[in-house]
Amino acid sequence: MVFLLGALGAVGSAGFLLLAPAASAPASAVSAWRLMWFWRLGFFPLLIGLGLALQLLAQALNLMGPELAKALHPEVLEPLLRRTNFGWVWSARLAAMFLLVLFWAGTLGMKRGDRRYSAAPVLVLAALAAMIGPFAGHSSGAESPPLMMSLNALHILAAGLWAGALPCWVSWARLNRVQAAAPNAIDTVRRFSTLAAGCVVILLLSGVWLADEFVEHLGDLLGTRYGLLIVVKVGFFAAALLLANRIRHRLLEMPKGGGAGHSGFFAGVVMSARGELLAVLLVVIAAGALAQTTPAIHDQPVWFLPFRVSPEAAWDAWPEALYGGLYGLLALLALGLWGGGRVWKKPLPTPLAWGLLPTVLVGGSGALYWFSVPAYPDTYRRSDVPYLAASVVQGQLLFEQHCVSCHGSGGLGDGKQAAYLPVPPADLSEPHTSLHTAGDMYWWFTHGIPQSGMPGFAGKLSEQDRWDLVNFLRAFSRGFEARVLRDVIVPRDPWLGAPNFYFDSPAGFSELKALRETHTALLVFADYANPQSQERLAALDRAQPRLQQAGLRILVVPINPELPEPALPALQIVRNEARPIWATYSLLSRSLADRGDDDALGVQRTHVEFLVDRFGYLRARWIPGESSGWTDIERLLTQVNALMTEPEIEPPPDDHVH
């Protein structure tokens, strides 16, 4: 944080000095102001040096514990500085600081004269020292490090040119309030205002992009320290923008060139400029704290509200969805009337204008109420157990042991104990099941649902067991939604994540997830005893060279792995864990023609094929007997080519269900 204050201050002050006018009447005032700020520039390298020392100390203490002598021992510092990204960045910043100090000191030794352009090297060196920070920060661990580090560096530069210049700008405003220091003082402020507006746009766009990288959902934003710091930062940033907009509005009313009224302008904006500076200082402090905080996507959010807003989860509930829609429409109508009056500058009748605010508040509150669903502290919690086939199968075993007495052997809510409960057990085949978060279900498995009679299992099942149950229920419910899958993809509409699994390959141990980005996968579940399956496998084996050239990787999973394998030299056969893999994907093999036995959790098949796109989504499915499907290899190639040319529409499904 100390380093950031120093670097941004040096960048902004040097930038504002470049914008300031050349010495003019009264020359002594401008020259004195500029000389004062060249002296003040020396304060920022001191802050940078202090910040670097504190960074090194904190990193060493983090490695070695609280003992200062051990942390500062050369055997600790030497590998830290030479063998880590932090060390390389820290050393580069130290070198930039020394160059900055040398140049600044040399500038002060110049003869009297206009030092305006000598601020440029100070600006460049300070900017470099600040902008290389992302190479050792959170951005370096993002999914696209070059892009995120570049965005972060641009964000820092824009912050320096705007926020770092504010101390210099306040000083300039005070000078011009007291005396007419420069006839073109207003023109200087206009140039700075234009630069600041561009920097604010960059800060907004890059800030949203960076936040989206490290904050996955509302639970991350309001349920983690990182997310709350972002909220605080945005709040102070908004306050700074309001004050800056006030100054800019007054500036736009000034005639070009300033004239006799420019002293009055400066007298009126000094307080606003000071307030803007204070708000920006708080923004920088929050940004420094963010840099030292674990990103939200790597933390466990704790939700503090008893509800969450989820239109997709509440939409199927009637008449609640209708009420929510009407209230939302009312709020949008009121906002539209207000916005239209502002845009076309046609004042609304006073009673109508006074009625818009309560209308927006009532409509918005009503929409939030009707589109809200219950929430719990674990609602946005991330699963500690990946969405693996092995976990789904273990969850199914636990479900059969602990849940079928109420929910029924087919999960339809018709178990033997259902009639004795105060509330009928949920039909887990209904689509609403997939609209609950994984954290909701984990909370229910842990604490129960007292009003329904469902007990908690924290005393019986481990954390992993409860997450296994969550993984099973998500796959089970998704299986009923997956009945709409056909042998033709729906373009640009991925929605069903493929459960991951591990398998032995000629190159060594691998997983389905490893095929992402490079291959489309065809998962073939076949019964070796079925003659039609044997014919199909033989056809795929013959067509393998063409399919592989198109970017398709075929994985054959035997439904009955104890039977002898047919000769399939060109195909990859998944031998290990074949049973749990099929047990998992059988849950996703229900169709509109055959939803399976109501008394069984899985579905019996002799052959089924799934097409998985290169981003990890199940996009098509063929069940022999329900269509001719992919018996014609050309039809299969058409689907593969379509998937291989399709861009990434949704991010890959996570290992953990949410």
Side-chain angles (χ1 to χ4, degrees):
M1 188 182 305
V2 175
F3 171 86
L4 190 60
L5 287 171
L8 296 185
V11 170
S13 299
F16 194 87
L17 284 170
L18 288 171
L19 290 175
S24 55
S28 58
V30 176
S31 297
W33 174 83
R34 184 176 291 107
L35 181 61
M36 174 188 70
W37 267 99
F38 267 106
W39 276 105
R40 289 184 180 180
L41 270 178
F43 172 71
F44 295 117
L46 291 178
L47 274 183
I48 292 174
L50 177 60
L52 287 175
L54 292 175
Q55 284 181 0
L56 182 61
L57 178 61
Q59 195 74 9
L61 289 173
N62 186 48
L63 289 174
M64 300 305 297
E67 295 187 29
L68 188 61
K70 287 185 178 180
L72 296 181
H73 196 279
E75 292 183 357
V76 174
L77 297 180
E78 188 271 338
L80 175 62
L81 294 176
R82 290 185 57 188
R83 303 177 189 176
T84 65
N85 282 346
F86 166 83
W88 287 105
V89 169
W90 189 91
S91 301
R93 282 177 158 174
L94 185 66
M97 184 203 70
F98 276 122
L99 290 174
L100 194 156
V101 170
L102 289 174
F103 183 85
W104 171 78
T107 301
L108 291 181
M110 291 180 179
K111 295 180 180 180
R112 288 178 60 88
D114 187 7
R115 296 183 178 89
R116 180 184 178 193
Y117 294 107
S118 56
V122 175
L123 169 62
V124 172
L125 289 170
L128 286 175
M131 293 171 67
I132 60 176
F135 287 88
H138 298 321
S139 299
S140 62
E143 288 188 5
S144 303
L147 173 62
M148 300 312 297
M149 288 189 294
S150 300
L151 276 175
N152 206 343
L154 183 63
H155 189 82
I156 292 171
L157 178 61
L161 291 174
W162 170 52
L166 290 178
C168 205
W169 151 235
V170 171
S171 173
W172 178 252
R174 291 181 60 194
L175 171 68
N176 286 275
R177 179 190 63 178
V178 174
Q179 54 185 305
N184 54 353
I186 291 292
D187 292 334
T188 300
V189 177
R190 288 186 193 279
R191 290 196 296 271
F192 175 67
S193 179
T194 301
L195 174 65
C199 289
V200 166
V201 171
I202 292 173
L203 285 170
L204 285 171
L205 295 178
S206 59
V208 169
W209 200 324
L210 290 167
D212 183 65
E213 179 72 19
F214 300 115
V215 175
E216 192 173 24
H217 43 58
L218 187 62
D220 285 345
L221 192 64
L222 298 181
T224 64
R225 183 169 180 263
Y226 189 91
L228 291 174
L229 280 172
I230 289 179
V231 173
V232 170
K233 181 182 175 183
V234 169
F236 289 131
F237 184 71
L241 288 187
L242 288 174
L243 291 167
N245 184 65
R246 181 180 177 185
I247 297 173
R248 184 173 176 83
H249 182 72
R250 296 193 61 179
L251 177 64
L252 293 175
E253 296 176 349
M254 292 290 295
K256 292 250 181 179
H262 84 273
S263 294
F265 163 78
F266 283 109
V269 302
V270 167
M271 289 302 296
S272 295
R274 287 174 174 170
E276 181 184 357
L277 175 59
L278 176 61
V280 165
L281 177 63
L282 295 173
V283 170
V284 174
I285 292 174
L290 272 173
Q292 305 302 318
T293 302
T294 302
I297 57 172
H298 302 307
D299 199 3
Q300 284 290 13
V302 178
W303 189 247
F304 61 93
L305 295 173
F307 65 90
R308 65 183 176 96
V309 178
S310 179
E312 65 274 14
W315 193 249
D316 286 336
W318 292 90
E320 288 85 350
L322 176 62
Y323 297 154
L326 291 176
Y327 274 107
L329 186 62
L330 180 65
L332 289 175
L333 179 61
L335 283 174
L337 287 173
W338 179 83
R342 298 281 294 182
V343 170
W344 285 290
K345 298 182 179 179
K346 294 182 178 180
L348 299 171
T350 302
L352 178 59
W354 279 103
L356 288 181
L357 179 60
T359 302
V360 170
L361 292 176
V362 170
S365 301
L368 290 178
Y369 175 81
W370 291 110
F371 284 141
S372 295
V373 294
Y376 314 93
D378 284 340
T379 285
Y380 290 102
R381 179 170 176 168
R382 292 180 173 83
S383 171
D384 299 319
V385 179
Y387 190 39
L388 286 166
S391 173
V392 172
V393 170
Q394 179 61 26
Q396 180 173 338
L397 293 175
L398 292 168
F399 182 88
E400 291 169 346
Q401 294 173 18
H402 299 280
C403 306
V404 296
S405 60
C406 296
H407 288 281
S409 55
L412 304 183
D414 55 356
K416 295 179 180 179
Q417 300 298 320
Y420 305 102
L421 297 176
V423 177
D427 179 354
L428 301 177
S429 69
E430 292 294 324
H432 72 83
T433 307
S434 65
L435 296 176
H436 297 300
T437 69
D440 284 343
M441 290 188 284
Y442 179 81
W443 178 269
W444 295 331
F445 287 134
T446 302
H447 302 281
I449 308 177
Q451 64 270 26
S452 72
M454 174 180 169
F457 294 95
K460 296 181 179 179
L461 302 177
S462 66
E463 276 194 34
Q464 176 161 336
D465 288 341
R466 281 171 269 158
W467 282 119
D468 288 338
L469 270 170
V470 171
N471 284 338
F472 163 70
L473 284 183
R474 297 300 291 224
F476 180 75
S477 175
R478 283 295 200 180
F480 284 89
E481 295 180 57
R483 287 181 293 166
V484 298
L485 284 178
R486 299 167 47 236
D487 53 14
V488 178
I489 69 168
V490 177
R492 305 178 69 86
D493 187 29
W495 60 274
L496 180 61
N500 192 26
F501 58 83
Y502 296 99
F503 61 92
D504 288 323
S505 71
F509 203 56
S510 188
E511 58 181 323
L512 179 63
K513 181 179 167 184
L515 303 181
R516 291 182 186 174
E517 302 294 338
T518 58
H519 291 82
T520 297
L522 180 66
L523 306 183
V524 181
F525 294 92
D527 182 352
Y528 289 157
N530 182 0
Q532 291 182 335
S533 282
Q534 295 179 10
E535 292 179 10
R536 173 62 178 169
L537 292 176
L540 288 174
D541 189 70
R542 292 191 298 271
Q544 169 65 2
R546 291 181 61 203
L547 296 171
Q548 187 171 2
Q549 187 176 9
L552 183 69
R553 177 79 178 272
I554 300 176
L555 298 177
V556 178
V557 182
I559 292 176
N560 44 3
E562 70 281 354
L563 296 180
E565 291 180 5
L568 303 168
L571 298 182
Q572 169 70 51
I573 299 178
V574 178
R575 298 177 178 85
N576 57 310
E577 302 299 324
R579 287 192 180 280
I581 296 171
W582 164 240
T584 298
Y585 278 84
S586 73
L587 299 174
L588 304 175
S589 67
R590 305 177 194 274
S591 67
L592 294 174
D594 181 9
R595 60 171 280 155
D597 190 344
D598 287 347
D599 293 327
L601 297 174
V603 181
Q604 297 297 320
R605 301 284 186 194
T606 57
H607 193 99
V608 60
E609 299 180 14
F610 295 90
L611 202 53
V612 184
D613 70 18
R614 66 189 194 282
F615 305 110
Y617 289 94
L618 289 173
R619 300 297 299 278
R621 181 190 59 203
W622 173 46
I623 301 173
E626 294 189 3
S627 70
S628 58
W630 302 326
T631 51
D632 182 356
I633 296 298
E634 296 301 326
R635 288 196 64 190
L636 177 59
L637 279 170
T638 300
Q639 305 304 306
V640 172
N641 291 332
L643 290 178
M644 291 300 293
T645 56
E646 196 173 71
E648 183 176 351
I649 300 158
E650 294 285 342
D654 201 279
D655 285 336
H656 311 287
V657 290
H658 295 287

